[in-house]
Amino acid sequence: MADSTLAVEFRNIDKAFYGVKANDNVDFQLRKGEVHALLGENGAGKSTLCSILAGLYRPDAGEFLFEGQPTVFKTPKDALAAGVGMVYQHFRLVSNLTVAENLALGHPKLGVNISQAELEEDARQLGEEYGLPVDPAARIWQLSVGEQQRVEILKLLYRQAKILILDEPTAVLTPQEAQQLFKTMRQLAAEGRSVIFVSHKLHEVKQVSDRVTVLRDGTTVGGADTADAEPRDLARMMVGRDLELPTRDANPDIGEATLIVDDLRVAGDRGLEAVQGVSFEVHSGEVLGISGVSGNGQRELAYGIVGLRTPTSGTVTLDGEDVTAMNVADKIDRGVAYVPQSRLGMGLAPGLTTEDNLGLKAYRKPPYSNGPMLAASVFKEKGAEWIDRYDIRGVRPGLPIRLLSGGNLQKALLAREVELNPKVLIARSPTRGLDVGATEAVRNLVLAERAKGTAVLLISEDLDELLALSDRVLVLYEGKVAGRMPADEATPERLGLLMAGHKEEAGT
Ligand SMILES: Nc1ncnc2c1ncn2[C@@H]1O[C@H](COP(=O)(O)OP(=O)(O)OP(=O)(O)O)[C@@H](O)[C@H]1O
Ligand SMILES: [Mg+2]
């Protein structure tokens, strides 16, 4: 009894990795013309389900019907040929190629003789039609994550995908970018295509989806029409208990200015100056939040402070010492910890085990090494201790860290940095992509650092995260400080205006 309104049906799908069931008896139905939200904790099996549909994995058991027909996609290419494409949680673009070249890459119908100009024109038109503007001639590495994501979606549209799977797309977007993406998603659904939307943010699920399916421990635990689903009920379905996010009280013990950034200037990627004379102080026991639309100098500011890019002028002072020109290793020695935005790109070594990754920054010191010798047993012991303390789930001995789910990667990264006992913790979007329970855990971790007297610089485009953790907030716009205020005066409206370029402060 094929139901012609269904695009895809999963019945009792199983998928195990090394004996651990990532999908266990999953039932899932995707209709044509709907936005279908997929919810579940970190490690619940959402990406696995999506990857089966996209042809990256093959199920171990169960039935997979595609437009009513039993189907197996052997490769992502197969899936794409049938009209199923996925934007992965970790992007897969070739960063030295241009946007247009990435669209053409591996395209079955494109011969060698399509001109660069034609390609770029196609990309521009498609971008306009679907509200996904991006410069077709730009190289991927020059783009912000939000722009890279648009390229990923355009790539699927260029191949005429009927089913688009977006695995946590909003985790890398600003609220404004997310709203634009939702419009695009609704447009795709209105055209009769199907969109799978993975997100941890219940208000987004409420806003954009027609239906929702909830996974827990690899199994389907429920589903509903979104209009009938209360966020509180969905949260309980996901984690099996009621949740409270931590609340932040004013820290009475704000101390000395640990980190002083004075008139800092840092170059950007395209030769322009990305940070244009920024000054602020972060005190011991304080969280300073930096907000702004992605691409307004946040990345370069972080690079300039941690030593990944030498500032062109201005100073960075740590505990009274001028560290402006110091390299990363020397700054780590002096107590600078950094949680980057891209976990697998910069933060973690994807091919090493979780234990080795956890020891990665401390390895030059005892007890990890004694002279030139690395103590393997210490890596193991400390690793096990931290995996337990930070509740990093899904770790299996000897296997590379890249196999962990997104949220657990983030916990591993934070654990490693926090265990250095930093004086300054610089964190970019630390709860991005985390489920409600893990968000609770990571927020508590950051607040615990603050209570210990660490100076925390929180750089985030997520206003929920920023307002939940910061004592003071500063807004960056086009490389300058547009405004700054105590957190209790920072309403989303006021921040939104500043982020959009309404300055309260004359840039120096
Ligand atoms: N290729 C793989 N090899 C080994 N284990 C894997 C692999 N992919 C996923 N897993 C494991 O399967 C489980 C489900 O992972 P999955 O990535 O599907 O979770 P998720 O719901 O997408 O989580 P998140 O919200 O953190 O992204 C996890 O325990 C994960 O570690
Ligand atoms: Mg995932």
Side-chain angles (χ1 to χ4, degrees):
M1 294 66 28
D3 177 346
S4 66
T5 63
L6 286 186
V8 168
E9 186 169 10
F10 277 15
R11 292 182 193 154
N12 304 320
I13 290 282
D14 288 347
K15 177 71 191 176
F17 296 105
Y18 310 98
V20 176
K21 285 195 168 176
N23 277 179
D24 183 5
N25 239 329
V26 167
D27 291 320
F28 175 66
Q29 293 189 333
L30 180 67
R31 291 184 191 144
K32 294 175 186 163
E34 75 168 349
V35 174
H36 195 124
L38 209 50
L39 276 173
E41 288 186 280
N42 295 129
K46 304 177 298 293
S47 295
T48 302
L49 186 163
C50 294
S51 301
I52 291 173
L53 181 53
L56 190 69
Y57 302 141
R58 273 189 264 176
D60 301 330
E63 280 180 89
F64 172 5
L65 305 181
F66 180 72
E67 298 192 333
Q69 300 301 315
T71 302
V72 182
F73 294 140
K74 293 204 185 70
T75 62
K77 234 182 174 162
D78 266 9
L80 212 47
V84 181
M86 173 157 169
V87 176
Y88 291 88
Q89 210 167 348
H90 310 291
F91 298 160
R92 302 182 161 206
L93 297 167
V94 182
S95 65
N96 279 328
L97 298 184
T98 68
V99 170
E101 285 163 351
N102 265 281
L103 290 200
L105 202 68
H107 195 295
K109 293 191 203 84
L110 286 182
V112 276
N113 41 11
I114 178 164
S115 75
Q116 193 66 24
E118 282 173 276
L119 259 178
E120 288 181 9
E121 187 48 35
D122 282 356
R124 185 170 304 130
Q125 270 182 15
L126 208 55
E128 247 168 51
E129 193 180 338
Y130 286 97
L132 300 163
V134 57
D135 173 5
R139 292 186 190 280
I140 298 303
W141 61 265
Q142 297 171 314
L143 302 179
S144 72
V145 268
E147 289 169 317
Q148 292 187 23
Q149 180 181 84
R150 284 181 225 150
V151 179
E152 291 275 13
I153 298 171
L154 284 174
K155 218 175 144 178
L156 301 185
L157 293 174
Y158 203 51
R159 285 163 176 67
Q160 290 160 350
K162 288 180 285 185
I163 296 175
L164 291 97
I165 306 164
L166 308 180
D167 194 358
E168 296 194 39
T170 57
V172 298
L173 301 182
T174 61
Q176 291 88 340
E177 286 175 317
Q179 289 307 320
Q180 179 51 54
L181 176 66
F182 294 161
K183 278 193 202 155
T184 304
M185 287 163 61
R186 294 304 330 167
Q187 184 181 348
L188 293 168
E191 289 177 355
R193 306 191 210 221
S194 311
V195 180
I196 295 179
F197 172 57
V198 182
S199 173
H200 291 291
K201 296 187 175 174
L202 296 173
H203 60 93
E204 296 183 346
V205 168
K206 269 306 256 186
Q207 185 191 341
V208 76
S209 71
D210 300 297
R211 294 199 304 149
V212 42
T213 293
V214 182
L215 297 182
R216 188 161 81 221
D217 296 331
T219 306
T220 311
V221 290
D225 287 337
T226 308
D228 304 334
E230 284 300 319
R232 177 163 286 276
D233 299 333
L234 291 173
R236 197 180 304 113
M237 231 190 269
M238 278 194 287
V239 297
R241 65 183 166 103
D242 281 316
L243 277 173
E244 297 287 341
L245 282 172
T247 48
R248 178 188 48 91
D249 296 320
N251 188 355
D253 298 323
I254 288 183
E256 302 281 294
T258 308
L259 176 73
I260 304 174
V261 169
D262 186 34
D263 200 16
L264 200 71
R265 292 177 182 273
V266 184
D269 288 337
R270 302 204 218 193
L272 300 171
E273 195 169 62
V275 178
Q276 306 179 7
V278 166
S279 304
F280 57 80
E281 296 180 352
V282 193
H283 293 249
S284 159
E286 177 189 49
V287 179
L288 175 66
I290 299 216
S291 81
V293 174
S294 134
N296 277 277
Q298 296 94 320
R299 181 169 63 118
E300 291 81 0
L301 176 64
Y303 283 8
I305 296 171
V306 302
L308 283 162
R309 191 168 294 182
T310 309
T312 46
S313 74
T315 54
V316 178
T317 310
L318 180 69
D319 265 351
E321 184 185 13
D322 183 341
V323 297
T324 317
M326 252 175 221
N327 63 27
V328 177
D330 287 338
K331 283 184 178 167
I332 293 172
D333 282 347
R334 282 169 178 72
V336 176
Y338 179 47
V339 177
Q341 190 161 36
S342 153
R343 294 154 195 151
L344 287 179
M346 292 207 71
L348 300 166
L352 298 183
T353 62
T354 303
E355 285 88 346
D356 287 352
N357 266 285
L358 288 172
L360 215 53
K361 275 207 173 167
Y363 73 93
R364 276 182 283 104
K365 294 184 194 158
Y368 281 98
S369 59
N370 208 337
M373 306 296 284
L374 291 179
S377 61
V378 179
F379 269 89
K380 276 228 169 65
E381 265 168 44
K382 283 277 170 211
E385 193 182 314
W386 296 355
I387 287 164
D388 187 51
R389 187 177 314 151
Y390 294 92
D391 192 24
I392 305 165
R393 297 184 203 178
V395 179
R396 266 148 280 162
L399 293 183
I401 197 165
R402 68 179 151 76
L403 301 181
L404 293 189
S405 78
N408 285 300
L409 284 173
Q410 182 69 345
K411 285 191 241 169
L413 192 50
L414 254 164
R416 186 186 72 195
E417 298 299 314
V418 163
E419 284 293 335
L420 290 170
N421 282 321
K423 285 187 185 143
V424 177
L425 173 65
I426 298 160
R428 298 185 60 199
S429 314
T431 62
R432 191 181 79 181
L434 298 201
D435 67 47
V436 275
T439 297
E440 182 185 16
V442 167
R443 285 185 183 177
N444 278 328
L445 253 163
V446 171
L447 291 177
E449 275 307 292
R450 168 185 179 257
K452 273 200 306 196
T454 308
V456 182
L457 184 64
L458 172 71
I459 304 177
S460 173
E461 287 131 38
D462 178 344
L463 292 186
D464 295 341
E465 173 179 78
L466 210 78
L467 293 176
L469 295 174
S470 306
D471 298 294
R472 288 186 297 128
V473 178
L474 174 158
V475 183
L476 274 189
Y477 179 73
E478 293 189 340
K480 298 190 176 106
V481 179
R484 60 184 98 207
M485 66 210 76
D488 51 17
E489 294 170 22
T491 59
E493 293 71 32
R494 184 171 173 198
L495 291 177
L497 280 173
L498 289 167
M499 287 164 75
H502 297 260
K503 291 199 172 74
E504 289 178 0
E505 182 169 319
T508 38

